[in-house]
Amino acid sequence: VLGWSMDPNVQQKMDSRQCDKCQAEVYIANLSCPQCNSKFEPCVVTGFPVAKRTRVECTACRAPANRNDWNSWVQEFKACPWCNEPQNAQY
């Protein structure tokens, strides 16, 4: 790990995304924006913030998820990861 972390050929930057509210660059997994203090819902599948444009929810408990993560989970397990009610993929 030390050799990898000191390698000048390895990019030393964490992945980022834009805040939905203020467009500031934030770490991809942050559930809040340090710039404008906006809060983001965690995806029930991954724990990553739920993007407004890809938001889906469980038809039973309304737990939010990112569409791609939700569909991958539901195709494998056929149920909501939060309440375990049977679910279908959402496109």
Side-chain angles (χ1 to χ4, degrees), residues 5-48:
S5 66
M6 299 301 291
D7 186 342
N9 297 319
V10 174
Q11 185 179 7
Q12 300 291 322
K13 183 181 177 218
M14 295 189 291
D15 291 335
S16 63
R17 63 177 177 84
Q18 285 189 321
C19 169
D20 289 339
K21 186 174 181 182
C22 73
Q23 309 309 311
E25 288 293 314
V26 295
Y27 172 57
I28 198 166
N30 266 11
L31 293 176
S32 64
C33 175
Q35 195 76 18
C36 69
N37 295 318
S38 289
K39 305 289 185 220
F40 309 107
E41 297 176 294
C43 174
V44 294
V45 178
T46 65
F48 277 70

Side-chain angles (χ1 to χ4, degrees), residues 16 18 34-35 38 48 54 57 66 74 78-80 91:
S16 63
Q18 285 189 321
Q35 195 76 18
S38 289
F48 277 70
T54 64
E57 61 184 32
N66 287 303
V74 170
K78 312 290 189 237
C80 172
Y91 297 101

